[in-house]
Amino acid sequence: MGVLQRFERRLEGMVEGAFARAFGGAVQPVEVAAALQREAADKKAIVAHGRVLVPNTYVVELAAADNERLAEYDEALRKELADMVSEHAKEQGWSFVGPVTVALEQVDDLTTGTFRVRSAVVAGKVAGAPAGTAGRSDPASSHGRPQLQLASGTEAGRVLVLADPVTVIGRGADAHLRLTDIKVSRLHAEIRVDDERTWLVDLGSSNGTTLNGRPIDTAALNDGDRIRVGDTEILFREAG
C-alpha cells in the first residue's frame, strides 16, 4: 500500500467520516497530499555524498470557503499531512534538517476548490536537545562546539555555533547562515557535523565555494580553515 493510500485509509477512520463531508465538492485531502509530494520532489537538492535534502515546512494556501470548512479539523489534518510527507520522504531516501510541519492558510486570490503549496527548509532542534536550541547555543553549551565566524563584510565578527548536524549557508530565507552578498546563491553551501569530522559541501552554487583558496565540492574542515562564498570569507573554528 502506497503513502497516499495509507493517508486516505487513516482519514477514513477519523471523526466518523467528517473529512468526507467537509471536503465534499471542494479541495480533497488526497489532492493536497499529492501536491505536497510534488512540492518536495520539485524542491529537492542533492548535497553531500548523494544525500537528498527536501523542505520540511509546508504551507497550503486555501480560499476563504475551503479554509473555513477545514477549521474544525485543522490540527488533525495538518498532523496527517505532515506524517504523510515524512513517510514519503523515508520511502524515497530523502532527508530533512528539522521536523516536518504543515500549515493551512487563507488567501484572498484563490477560488473555492483551488489551492497552492509553498515550502521552505527550516532548521529544527537536534533530537534530544532542549527546545529552542536549533542553530544557536548559550555561552556555556557552545564550549567545545565548532563555529563559523564571518571574517569580511559588514557583519565581520558575527559567530554562529554549529549546534545542528547540518547548517546551510546562503542568501535565501531558507539558509541558517543568511548572507546579503549578491554573489552568494540562495542555498550556496552546507556544513555537516558528524561524530568524526566537519565537512564543507558546495550545493551547486553559481559562483562556487573555495576552501583556503581552492575550489571544492566536498572537503573536510580543520581549525582555522577559511571558507569563501561569493565575496564573503568565513573562518572555521574547531571549538568555541
Side-chain angles (χ1 to χ4, degrees):
M1 184 181 295
V3 172
L4 288 179
Q5 288 73 30
R6 292 197 298 271
F7 173 75
E8 288 185 289
R9 182 68 59 83
R10 289 197 298 268
L11 286 187
E12 288 174 0
M14 294 177 63
V15 203
E16 297 183 348
F19 276 109
R21 294 194 299 274
F23 280 94
V27 172
Q28 299 295 319
V30 71
E31 294 176 335
V32 176
L36 292 174
Q37 289 188 2
R38 290 194 299 270
E39 178 73 8
D42 290 344
K43 297 295 178 62
K44 67 179 184 292
I46 300 176
V47 292
H49 308 297
R51 173 172 171 258
V52 178
L53 180 69
V54 295
N56 61 300
T57 65
Y58 299 83
V59 177
V60 181
E61 298 180 345
L62 298 160
D66 288 315
N67 188 64
E68 182 179 355
R69 188 178 291 110
L70 293 176
E72 182 179 351
Y73 318 106
D74 177 80
E75 183 176 354
L77 179 58
R78 288 188 293 106
K79 181 182 182 303
E80 289 297 337
L81 289 169
D83 289 346
M84 181 279 305
V85 173
S86 297
E87 291 174 17
H88 180 61
K90 183 177 180 180
E91 288 189 355
Q92 299 298 317
W94 301 340
S95 56
F96 308 101
V97 299
V100 178
T101 62
V102 177
L104 306 179
E105 181 178 292
Q106 178 179 319
V107 295
D108 296 330
D109 64 335
L110 291 175
T111 57
T112 301
T114 63
F115 65 95
R116 285 193 300 258
V117 175
R118 67 177 193 269
S119 63
V121 176
V122 178
K125 72 182 184 69
V126 180
T133 61
R136 65 183 186 275
S137 180
D138 59 40
S141 63
S142 66
H143 181 72
R145 288 180 175 172
Q147 299 181 356
L148 299 179
Q149 179 179 335
L150 295 184
S152 66
T154 58
E155 293 187 274
R158 176 184 169 194
V159 173
L160 177 69
V161 176
L162 300 178
D164 293 319
V166 178
T167 299
V168 177
I169 302 169
R171 189 162 47 88
D174 299 343
H176 309 136
L177 177 56
R178 189 177 182 186
L179 305 173
T180 57
D181 187 338
I182 61 172
K183 294 183 179 179
V184 171
S185 297
R186 187 176 65 85
L187 298 177
H188 195 107
E190 74 171 10
I191 307 294
R192 298 187 67 209
V193 181
D194 60 30
D195 293 336
E196 298 179 356
R197 299 298 301 268
T198 302
W199 302 86
L200 170 65
V201 182
D202 183 79
L203 298 178
S205 62
S206 299
N207 295 313
T209 300
T210 65
L211 179 63
N212 300 322
R214 299 179 60 183
I216 63 95
D217 291 319
T218 301
L221 290 171
N222 297 297
D223 186 52
D225 279 348
R226 290 185 175 269
I227 303 163
R228 180 169 287 275
V229 294
D231 289 330
T232 303
E233 188 172 69
I234 303 168
L235 181 67
F236 172 75
R237 287 300 185 188
E238 193 68 53

